[in-house]
Amino acid sequence: IEKNGLLQQCQEQGITVIAYSPLAKGMLTGKYTENNPPQGFRFRAYTRKYLAAVKPLLDQMKKIGADHAGKTSAQVALNWVMCKGAVPIPGAKTFMQAEQNCGALGWRLTEEEVVQSARTNRLELRLAAINTEVNQIKYNAEKGNYLPNVALSADYSVYTKADEYAIEGDDFGTMYSVGIGFQIPIFTGLSNSAKRAQTRHGWIQARLQERDYQDLIGLEVKQNYLSWVHAKENMAIQTQNIQLAERSLELAQYRFDNQVGIQLEVFDAQTMLSAIRLEYYNAIYQLILADLKLTKSMGIDF
């Protein structure tokens, strides 16, 4: 609902969104793994391949929970839903599960955790890491070509020979051979050195590129996080301004009804309330925009 704009429309209209299955049928609790997949028809989409793909996300959720006084993965998932402005309705079969669900209240992700989420989920960083690994493998292979090659071979066979119909003991025999080969890259040494230097340069360049991606994405996430914090603070301020303006209008109307004030005071209060409501709606828009930018920069796509 975030991608198709429904969440934004609900927030603009003051409609509370109820998040169904916020724990993804238990998948976000961490109890299911590649070696322990869920059973049953309802879980047919949670294959071993899918569970292996989401393992980095689950590991990051566990780390976030550990950094917040031992919160569970389920509490981290529920907290994330609430940070989106939705109300999660997790299932609870026991009192202990209900008590654990309440542990999702009263805390928020820190700036460093948001950056770490981006480092785990951003596709650019995963591709850069793969590129670095591939270039390192190429470099290691070229280093092997620069070294001498030694080959060892052995052969063992059994044979028979007979010049009569009768079989005698000396009609059978064995034959074996052993060989060793040694190759030194004398004439190809210069070309191998050039290839080794080229692949080493490619490996170093890939590492630097990966580090640059990490720094740029980290900076992007921090900027979006600060914008999100500012937008939430501005939203809280505009909410208070709305309450004050509504109270001022009530007082102006009360004074006018009791012939203590004049109608101009009522018009001024109404004008002020309209202007503050416009600022309030703009604050909602800015908060939604900041939230979308932050979510995108974190590499989260739902």
Side-chain angles (χ1 to χ4, degrees):
I1 66 172
E2 184 177 9
K3 295 178 63 176
N4 61 19
L6 179 58
L7 178 61
Q8 178 179 348
Q9 289 293 327
C10 291
Q11 291 174 338
E12 291 177 353
Q13 299 298 325
I15 301 173
T16 301
V17 176
I18 298 178
Y20 175 75
S21 189
L23 300 179
K25 301 178 183 178
M27 190 270 290
L28 295 180
T29 63
K31 65 179 179 179
Y32 298 128
T33 63
E34 184 179 3
N35 297 323
N36 181 35
Q39 303 297 325
F41 179 77
R42 293 178 65 244
F43 303 98
R44 64 187 184 279
Y46 296 160
T47 61
R48 295 180 185 273
K49 182 179 180 180
Y50 178 80
L51 293 173
V54 300
K55 186 178 183 302
L57 174 62
L58 296 176
D59 292 340
Q60 181 62 25
M61 292 172 63
K62 290 179 181 178
K63 184 179 183 303
I64 292 174
D67 293 338
H68 287 273
K71 298 294 183 181
T72 64
S73 298
Q75 291 169 343
V76 173
L78 296 177
N79 183 273
W80 185 89
V81 172
M82 290 186 291
C83 289
K84 288 291 183 179
V87 177
I89 50 172
K93 297 181 180 179
T94 64
F95 174 77
M96 181 177 296
Q97 290 179 348
E99 188 177 25
Q100 289 179 351
N101 290 339
C102 294
L105 301 170
W107 60 281
R108 288 293 183 269
L109 296 179
T110 63
E111 179 180 335
E112 180 58 33
E113 289 165 348
V114 171
V115 174
Q116 185 59 41
S117 175
R119 291 174 179 171
T120 303
N121 300 317
R122 286 289 289 263
L123 179 62
E124 302 97 313
L125 292 180
R126 293 202 295 266
L127 293 177
I130 293 174
N131 184 45
T132 301
E133 185 177 355
V134 169
N135 280 276
Q136 183 179 7
I137 293 174
K138 290 181 179 179
Y139 173 56
N140 292 335
E142 290 299 333
K143 285 198 304 183
N145 291 334
Y146 187 75
L147 299 175
N149 296 324
V150 178
L152 180 65
S153 62
D155 180 68
Y156 180 84
S157 59
V158 179
Y159 66 91
T160 61
K161 61 178 181 177
D163 52 2
E164 298 177 355
Y165 289 104
I167 299 176
E168 299 179 358
D170 58 354
D171 290 340
F172 298 92
T174 59
M175 181 174 59
Y176 61 89
S177 62
V178 177
I180 185 171
F182 190 75
Q183 182 182 9
I184 301 177
I186 297 177
F187 298 102
T188 60
L190 294 177
S191 62
N192 287 343
S193 298
K195 291 179 181 179
R196 184 167 60 91
Q198 183 179 5
T199 54
R200 183 176 183 273
H201 174 73
W203 176 42
I204 294 175
Q205 187 176 15
R207 282 170 33 186
L208 293 176
Q209 186 178 35
E210 181 182 3
R211 190 177 304 171
D212 289 342
Y213 281 156
Q214 291 177 350
D215 294 339
L216 290 174
I217 289 176
L219 179 60
E220 177 189 356
V221 173
K222 289 181 179 180
Q223 290 176 342
N224 290 335
Y225 178 79
L226 293 177
S227 298
W228 177 78
V229 171
H230 175 73
K232 283 191 70 78
E233 293 175 350
N234 184 46
M235 180 69 184
I237 293 174
Q238 297 303 327
T239 301
Q240 294 177 357
N241 290 340
I242 284 279
Q243 296 172 353
L244 292 175
E246 290 175 346
R247 181 59 178 165
S248 297
L249 178 59
E250 292 176 359
L251 292 175
Q253 187 66 47
Y254 179 81
R255 284 168 55 85
F256 176 74
D257 293 341
N258 289 275
Q259 299 181 353
V260 178
I262 60 177
Q263 192 172 15
L264 183 60
E265 293 179 352
V266 178
F267 289 155
D268 288 342
Q270 290 175 342
T271 303
M272 180 63 68
L273 179 59
S274 298
I276 292 178
R277 280 177 176 170
L278 182 61
E279 292 295 329
Y280 174 75
Y281 294 141
N282 182 62
I284 293 177
Y285 172 76
Q286 294 298 330
L287 179 59
I288 294 173
L289 185 62
D291 186 77
L292 290 174
K293 287 183 178 180
L294 178 60
T295 303
K296 183 180 179 180
S297 63
M298 292 172 62
I300 300 174
D301 188 13
F302 287 94

